[in-house]
Amino acid sequence: MRIEYSKNYFFLFLFVLLILISGCSNDATNVKKPSVDIKNTVSQSREYLSITNTEYVNGTDPNDGMKMNVYTYDLQSKALNKMTDLPYNSQYPLTVVSLAEDTTYYSGEGKSKGDELFAYDMKTQQVHQLSSNLFAINAIIPDVTENTIMMAAVKKGERPVKVMFLDKETQKISILNEQDSDTTTWDIAYDPETEKGYAIQYSEDEQYEQMEKSNQTQKPMVPPSHTIIEIDPVSKQTRAIIKLKDEQILTLSARGNQLLIATAKYINKMPIGYSLVDLQTGQRKDLQLPIKASSELFLDKDGNGFYFLGEKGNGNTERGIYFYDMKTDKIETVFLQKEGFINNFTLVSELN
């Protein structure tokens, strides 16, 4: 601030003098505060795989029922831990562990026909039913927002698989495009960095038409067009990322600015193709990979590799969960299918 010398000389001199005295006093009496380590004040993310492996309770036959063995695999320490086992009584055995909540979310048989979402508290060993009007659950992603679970599920009395968001406190479910009776969702994904959800969708009417053509011509069924949309879990706003004509998108994974997808030209037919899709432009880049995986694919944090459920390829047909490094082409074994059957797995990213 500019000061007028003739009028304020005395006050300026007094002001400077007071500052000097105050500075000397502070140096003599104040103890220097320790510096704050900013790194330690920022929450660090913890990433792990949550694995569902089913087997017979008695180890030999279904007479005593089946169970879902639930494992976690820490991506940093590479430690595999069995968390719990749960009764397998659903149409599709599905579990996802939230270590931050000490909870396993899973699909289980409801009171009436169909599957519902349950939460198993691993500390108290208590089970809570979170939904009451579902028929089937195909995917569960915990904490897409602070208190919301994202699902691909079917409502009782309906046919299409919908993207649903369940509030854990109120147990209220909101359904994306609830009135659309034609569009069905094949698979969903979530990017913890951008906090956006993704879904593979197609028209059931178009799929029926393609099935009729296949039956008439006795040729392999050509898939209906598949579209991947991006979803904001808070506003529920969507935007289309890419649409593939006459090509099935089997699964997807989102991380940073890219999608990893597996595709097929015919329903239930090999070969499977793999490609990366730029989330901003929708441009697609084909990948030449030796692996065989048609369900779960999960890009790692750096986007340099991915975890997958399937076979390593190149003559190795042992089914398991592996990590493929796209820079070195090396494949690392995570979890092999030796006892029971690996139904699914999920990469979970949580704040410590």
Side-chain angles (χ1 to χ4, degrees):
M1 181 175 64
R2 186 174 182 271
I3 297 175
E4 189 177 348
Y5 185 86
S6 59
K7 293 182 181 179
N8 297 301
Y9 175 81
F10 173 76
F11 294 104
L12 176 62
F13 172 78
L14 182 61
F15 179 70
V16 171
L17 182 62
L18 288 172
I19 290 176
L20 291 173
I21 295 172
S22 176
C24 292
S25 174
N26 285 340
D27 286 342
T29 59
N30 288 356
V31 178
K32 188 177 179 181
K33 294 181 180 179
S35 59
V36 178
D37 186 353
I38 296 177
K39 282 187 177 181
N40 291 334
T41 64
V42 178
S43 297
Q44 300 296 312
S45 63
R46 167 179 52 187
E47 296 199 330
Y48 56 93
L49 305 182
S50 178
I51 303 168
T52 310
N53 188 77
T54 57
E55 63 177 310
Y56 296 126
V57 171
N58 60 25
T60 56
D61 55 56
N63 292 335
D64 298 321
M66 297 185 70
K67 62 179 179 177
M68 301 184 292
N69 293 320
V70 185
Y71 297 89
T72 59
Y73 176 83
D74 188 273
L75 299 190
Q76 186 172 5
S77 67
K78 298 184 179 180
L80 179 70
N81 294 301
K82 182 175 180 180
M83 308 306 296
T84 186
D85 57 67
L86 297 164
Y88 170 17
N89 53 25
S90 60
Q91 300 172 79
Y92 174 51
L94 179 62
T95 70
V96 181
V97 174
S98 172
L99 291 177
E101 301 174 282
D102 287 309
T103 298
T104 298
Y105 297 99
Y106 68 97
S107 60
E109 185 179 30
K111 292 181 180 179
S112 57
K113 185 178 180 181
D115 296 345
E116 300 290 355
L117 181 66
F118 292 84
Y120 173 74
D121 189 313
M122 293 184 289
K123 278 190 174 179
T124 65
Q125 299 184 346
Q126 297 295 310
V127 174
H128 303 282
Q129 184 173 332
L130 300 180
S131 68
S132 58
N133 196 33
L134 300 181
F135 173 72
I137 304 172
N138 289 356
I140 304 169
I141 303 175
D143 295 324
V144 293
T145 65
E146 186 176 352
N147 199 48
T148 305
I149 296 171
M150 182 178 177
M151 297 184 293
V154 182
K155 196 175 177 182
K156 274 189 175 68
E158 298 184 2
R159 189 175 66 175
V161 180
K162 295 285 189 178
V163 178
M164 301 186 184
F165 298 91
L166 183 144
D167 186 296
K168 289 181 289 186
E169 286 187 0
T170 65
Q171 297 182 12
K172 181 180 178 181
I173 293 178
S174 59
I175 302 175
L176 191 70
N177 299 325
E178 186 172 5
Q179 303 308 314
D180 185 345
S181 60
D182 178 49
T183 303
T184 199
T185 298
W186 180 256
D187 197 8
I188 58 174
Y190 178 71
D191 185 345
E193 295 170 19
T194 62
E195 298 182 341
K196 293 291 191 297
Y198 297 87
I200 303 168
Q201 297 185 324
Y202 62 86
S203 162
E204 289 205 339
D205 287 345
E206 187 182 349
Q207 176 168 264
Y208 181 77
E209 291 173 5
Q210 297 291 66
M211 184 176 64
E212 287 292 290
K213 288 179 183 179
S214 175
N215 291 336
Q216 291 170 6
T217 61
Q218 292 298 298
K219 292 182 179 180
M221 179 178 166
V222 176
S225 299
H226 279 56
T227 301
I228 295 177
I229 62 169
E230 181 181 82
I231 310 163
D232 187 311
V234 178
S235 68
K236 307 301 187 294
Q237 294 295 308
T238 65
R239 73 178 181 99
I241 302 296
I242 189 172
K243 183 176 183 177
L244 302 183
K245 182 175 174 57
D246 299 336
E247 193 172 358
Q248 183 183 18
I249 305 175
L250 300 165
T251 189
L252 77 168
S253 173
R255 207 69 195 254
N257 192 43
Q258 61 184 354
L259 282 171
L260 174 65
I261 60 174
T263 58
K265 294 291 186 182
Y266 300 99
I267 299 292
N268 298 325
K269 292 285 184 181
M270 298 300 237
I272 298 171
Y274 306 92
S275 48
L276 288 170
V277 178
D278 188 291
L279 280 171
Q280 300 304 316
T281 65
Q283 290 185 338
R284 182 183 178 187
K285 176 185 176 184
D286 290 338
L287 302 174
Q288 301 301 319
L289 303 176
I291 69 169
K292 188 187 292 183
S294 60
S295 53
E296 283 80 6
L297 297 173
F298 293 96
L299 284 163
D300 70 354
K301 189 173 184 179
D302 298 323
N304 296 325
F306 60 90
Y307 297 87
F308 69 93
L309 173 58
E311 300 172 7
K312 293 168 66 173
N314 292 331
N316 189 317
T317 59
E318 192 169 16
R319 191 172 187 269
I321 298 172
Y322 301 92
F323 176 74
Y324 182 86
D325 190 314
M326 290 189 287
K327 285 190 171 182
T328 65
D329 289 328
K330 291 183 179 179
I331 300 178
E332 178 184 342
T333 301
V334 174
F335 185 92
L336 290 179
Q337 181 174 294
K338 293 182 178 179
E339 296 180 358
F341 185 82
I342 306 172
N343 293 89
N344 45 68
F345 81 99
T346 303
L347 193 156
V348 183
S349 181
E350 295 181 327
L351 293 178
N352 286 329

